[in-house]
Amino acid sequence: MAVSRSRAAVSARRRKRRMARVTHDLSDAQWAALTAEWRGCAYCGATDRALQRDCVLPISRGGRYTLENVVPACGSCNASKCNDEVTSWLRRKKLDERAFLLRQREIALELVARFAGPDHAVT
């Protein structure tokens, strides 16, 4: 069987390898709590769109799907950010970098404390 050499196929294989190299521990309950706390896109505040899991520190830069590293993002913000560093991306988009970082840290600390129990691992 021939292996596809299209750009999309090569990118998909690379992503699959990157994802397999790290441990992701974001549970469905944690994701539900994150979306409830943010009440919309963490970056632009949109509430009328489906939300996607976005790593603040991208997987390609050493990030993981964890409670402290994931925020809900609309498809537009998630695609625009791609694997950029979040602070420079926020500045380029003229979004409030300080407000995002403070809110992200506040929510992460609250949820880590909430999920810190025998059934949930804290990283």
Side-chain angles (χ1 to χ4, degrees):
M1 175 177 223
V3 175
S4 175
R5 296 183 193 276
S6 72
R7 192 176 307 170
V10 170
S11 295
R13 285 192 296 273
R14 276 192 197 132
R15 179 173 172 74
K16 186 176 180 180
R17 284 192 301 267
R18 270 196 315 267
M19 294 290 282
R21 282 194 294 255
V22 295
T23 303
H24 306 285
D25 60 5
L26 184 71
S27 69
D28 290 338
Q30 291 170 332
W31 172 244
L34 273 169
T35 56
E37 287 294 322
W38 279 101
R39 296 183 206 99
C41 177
Y43 302 120
C44 71
T47 58
D48 60 338
R49 301 178 213 156
L51 298 174
Q52 304 171 352
R53 296 173 185 181
D54 182 50
C55 289
V56 175
L57 177 64
I59 292 169
S60 63
R61 296 176 183 246
R64 302 180 308 136
Y65 282 109
T66 63
L67 191 55
E68 297 92 346
N69 192 44
V70 172
V71 296
C74 66
S76 176
C77 286
N78 197 5
S80 172
K81 182 178 163 280
C82 191
N83 70 341
D84 289 345
E85 198 272 325
V86 72
T87 54
S88 60
W89 177 81
L90 287 165
R91 281 184 222 132
R92 191 171 64 248
K93 288 295 200 175
K94 295 181 177 29
L95 297 170
D96 191 348
E97 173 188 355
R98 184 173 191 274
F100 167 77
L101 292 173
L102 289 173
R103 180 90 172 117
Q104 192 267 337
R105 188 67 186 148
E106 173 186 296
I107 289 173
L109 288 173
E110 178 183 329
L111 293 180
V112 165
R114 184 187 311 172
F115 285 98
D119 296 341
H120 296 89
V122 177
T123 57

